[in-house]
Amino acid sequence: MTYGFETLAIHAGQKPEPRTGAVVPPIFQTSTYAQDGVGAPREGYEYSRSGNPTRDALQQCLAALEAGHTALAFASGLAAEDTLLRTVCQPGDHVVIPDDAYGGTYRLFARVAQRWGVSWTAAKVSDVDAVRAAIEPGRTKLVWLETPTNPLLGIADIAALATVAHDAGARLVVDNTFASPYLQQPLVLGADVVVHSTTKYVGGHSDVVGGALVTADAELGAELAYHQNAMGAINGPFDAWLTLRGVKTLGVRMDRHCDNAERVAEFLTRHKAVAQVLYPGLPDHPGHETAAKQMRRFGGMVSFRATGGEAHAVEICNRTKVFVLAESLGGVESLIEHPGRMTHASAAGSPLEVPADLVRLSVGIETVDDLLADLAQALG
């Protein structure tokens, strides 16, 4: 039987606990497990780095939500990315990354993987031809996308770029953090691996850090699982439990995030202090048609450029009262930040440097009229 998204979010991997009937999977806060005999671990559990029932429940749920075969939960989104890189790449390989990507992802490629011998090229992922031109035949092992991108909210055509990557013998990786599996399922569109910072929309409450990889390829999933255990940056049982609790309400939360973001974006387009609004739900956004084709809705992230330049952008960030000045995104509360000085400071001076006048909003699920009033007073 095929279940709907919300049903899977509540039930996949989360059967009632067999001994007591508890409807919420327990937190198995243990490092090791008693074995029935030498070489006979009970239900396969030996040590919690290698396997934990709470983490397994989260992984099964995430696999179902992304229509994948294997999901793996990590200590952070970057831990998931690092494990993926070291599973499929070796010194001498090449990857294509977005020219607009999360600063931590850029730092991983430019300051860590590059020293290990993996080179990279930044390309505009909204331009299929630009991505094709950036591929180095025989060397490129991964084409890495964010869609929407962070923080400029560009849109990449997942299906088209899957074809481009596969024709070159590369795998397509999609960071689905901004969209969440509720709004977009990259594996269904041809991607090979989905990456999440589950800290964001999947967890949804700004109270836990985590990451995930999901793939439909059983063989690749087994390789990633081997490296998850061998490298050890796993999601702890309490963190997995918090994330699993959050994911149950992902569908209803994302609908409210989208409702509010649409109102915020429309408000900003009419304000004289705003030079440009970046939101894929706006009809004049260059990626609007592609986003409408591959996304259920357009998400809760909105970026804009201030008319008064960098100083004005910083002032706006400092003046909000309901929007909290903080890094991260995807929680129930609204956040505001200056990417150039905060989340993307590591990309300064690189091809991924963001405009100094840019402000990024993570639009929460508060009463939308309060959010609009707060932005009105902050914009001045």
Side-chain angles (χ1 to χ4, degrees), residues 130-150:
V131 174
R132 184 184 290 110
I135 291 174
E136 299 182 8
R139 290 191 63 230
T140 301
K141 294 299 187 292
L142 296 176
V143 175
W144 193 287
L145 307 182
E146 294 177 7
T147 183
T149 59
N150 181 5

Side-chain angles (χ1 to χ4, degrees), residues 305 309-311 313-314 338 340 354-359:
R305 300 181 71 170
E310 181 176 14
V314 171
H338 184 265
V354 300
D357 58 2
L358 189 73
V359 175

Side-chain angles (χ1 to χ4, degrees), residues 41-60:
R42 196 172 304 173
E43 296 188 25
Y45 291 108
E46 301 172 322
Y47 187 62
S48 272
R49 171 171 42 77
S50 305
N52 178 280
T54 313
R55 187 167 78 244
D56 286 349
L58 172 61
Q59 292 176 158
Q60 291 168 27

Side-chain angles (χ1 to χ4, degrees), residues 4-12 14 61 65 244 247-250:
F5 184 92
E6 292 86 347
T7 304
L8 291 173
I10 293 168
H11 294 288
Q14 302 170 76
C61 184
L65 297 183
L244 199 58
V247 81
K248 292 175 187 286
T249 59
L250 179 59

Side-chain angles (χ1 to χ4, degrees), residues 298-354:
F298 300 103
M301 300 299 297
V302 180
S303 293
F304 67 91
R305 300 181 71 170
T307 55
E310 181 176 14
H312 187 201
V314 171
E315 180 183 4
I316 292 167
C317 291
N318 287 333
R319 290 185 61 178
T320 57
K321 298 176 181 178
V322 180
F323 281 84
V324 179
L325 178 61
E327 298 190 0
S328 198
L329 59 102
V332 292
E333 63 287 306
S334 293
L335 303 180
I336 189 170
E337 67 128 354
H338 184 265
R341 297 192 185 186
M342 297 172 69
T343 53
H344 290 69
S346 64
S350 80
L352 281 73
E353 183 172 9
V354 300

Side-chain angles (χ1 to χ4, degrees), residues 6 72 106 152 189 196 249 279 316:
E6 292 86 347
L72 301 165
Y106 164 75
L152 298 178
L189 298 170
H196 279 285
T249 59
Y279 183 64
I316 292 167

